[in-house]
Amino acid sequence: MAPHAAEFDVILDAAAIAVHVDRLANEIARAFGARSIVAVPVMTGAIFFAPDLLRALVRHGASIEAIRPVSISSYGQGTTSSGAPLVVGLPPRPAIEARHVLVIDTIVDTGATIEVLGRELDGLGATSVRVACLLDKVVGRVRPVAPTWRGVEAPDRFLVGYGLDAAGRFRSLPFVGAIRGRDHHPTAADSTDHLPKR
């Protein structure tokens, strides 16, 4: 059964998302200037945010050399963390070495994902590793990291939509919303930074 809008409190609607994406792209393009970027979207959570941001970056004059998506596994099919996130499909060293890397993720929560991915990319010889996210859930941070660019600070609620899911559901919603009555009960998800909670 399709989800009903009344099930959610909308945190960012489609229009607000578009505004933040365009602002982020402008800031990022200005920061990189003429330097080429290797984009590393974190899947599956960034399935909508990454292409929107990348198209906006091109509109703002950024030079995207390559797009190298990765996947992060921390829950598998369970509802509790299996430990430190595992990066799946890490790009080969020649794709990263001596390049400026932009990690793209819809949400940064505990910081475990960007900490592990940043360490892996540094190990491949990246000149710089920076992170762009739409949602920065500062209240959930347990690692000493932060995104370089963020759209908004996220509330302390379990968020779905625009790539974020709850046990595989709600990922395709065109907005970011909180499920009413489920704020502090995360379920299994294969997207982004869910360790030990989103």
Side-chain angles (χ1 to χ4, degrees):
M1 185 170 65
H4 191 277
E7 296 179 48
F8 310 95
D9 291 322
V10 176
I11 306 302
L12 289 176
D13 62 17
I17 290 171
V19 168
H20 288 297
V21 167
D22 190 70
R23 174 183 58 79
L24 284 168
N26 182 48
E27 292 175 2
I28 295 166
R30 289 173 59 189
F32 278 103
R35 292 170 292 179
S36 294
I37 302 167
V38 174
V40 178
V42 179
M43 294 300 172
T44 308
I47 193 171
F48 299 116
F49 177 53
D52 286 351
L53 182 63
L54 288 165
R55 284 190 292 263
L57 281 167
V58 172
R59 287 197 303 271
H60 283 281
S63 175
I64 309 298
E65 178 180 348
I67 303 171
R68 296 282 186 167
V70 297
S71 294
I72 304 294
S73 175
S74 60
Y75 271 103
Q77 298 301 310
T79 57
T80 59
S81 169
S82 60
L86 174 67
V87 182
V88 180
L90 198 67
R93 175 176 287 274
I96 299 299
E97 192 170 28
R99 288 167 170 81
H100 297 283
V101 176
L102 177 66
V103 174
I104 302 173
D105 206 351
T106 304
I107 188 168
V108 173
D109 183 357
T110 67
T113 291
I114 63 170
E115 182 181 58
V116 169
L117 184 52
R119 187 164 59 242
E120 295 279 5
L121 294 167
D122 280 337
L124 292 175
T127 298
S128 68
V129 179
R130 304 182 193 181
V131 178
C133 68
L134 178 65
L135 301 157
D136 184 15
K137 198 169 183 181
V138 178
V139 71
R141 197 68 32 83
V142 297
R143 306 305 304 159
V145 295
T148 316
W149 296 280
R150 71 178 188 182
V152 297
E153 183 171 334
D156 187 18
R157 303 187 68 181
F158 188 73
L159 303 178
V160 296
Y162 197 58
L164 303 176
D165 73 314
R169 299 185 65 204
F170 311 125
R171 196 187 298 279
S172 61
L173 293 174
F175 57 83
V176 175
I179 306 173
R180 290 177 178 169
R182 292 266 304 276
D183 291 353
H184 302 290
H185 301 282
T187 55
D190 64 355
S191 59
T192 68
D193 200 9
H194 307 253
L195 179 68
K197 68 170 189 173
R198 286 175 54 175

